[in-house]
Amino acid sequence: IFDHHKAPVTRVVWANGDPTLLALCCKDGSVSLVSIDGTIVQQLKRPSKKACVATDVAWSLTNEWLLVGYDTGVAALYVVKTAALLRY
């Protein structure tokens, strides 16, 4: 059902208080927000063009933001509704 990634998934985290929404990190550097029926809600872009692995993800308490850690030592903050990169 969650087979849209091109590389192995490294982390899966449920949204806070929402049993229908997940964040998936992948070794190809991508992060996707998906519903439990497999629908891709948002696809987040890497913070740079450099190859990296998305290693961890954390939702804000209100699920408005998503913090993603990469193996390059970078952390990136995204706006969930728009998939906009806020800071890195």
Side-chain angles (χ1 to χ4, degrees):
I1 188 167
F2 303 118
D3 60 355
H4 58 280
H5 287 276
K6 295 180 171 89
V9 172
T10 57
R11 182 96 161 118
V12 177
V13 179
W14 292 97
N16 294 308
D18 186 346
T20 65
L21 188 61
L22 300 156
L24 290 85
C25 291
C26 186
K27 280 194 171 187
D28 66 7
S30 66
V31 176
S32 57
L33 309 180
V34 297
S35 64
I36 58 169
D37 67 3
T39 304
I40 299 172
V41 177
Q42 292 286 7
Q43 187 75 34
L44 307 180
K45 295 183 179 180
R46 291 189 310 224
S48 71
K49 293 183 181 182
K50 263 202 255 182
C52 61
V53 174
T55 57
D56 203 1
V57 63
W59 293 87
S60 66
L61 290 177
T62 57
N63 297 330
E64 293 177 74
W65 301 289
L66 197 72
L67 185 64
V68 180
Y70 294 91
D71 68 342
T72 57
V74 170
L77 184 63
Y78 295 89
V79 179
V80 170
K81 280 188 180 182
T82 63
L85 178 59
L86 191 60
R87 293 185 184 258
Y88 77 95

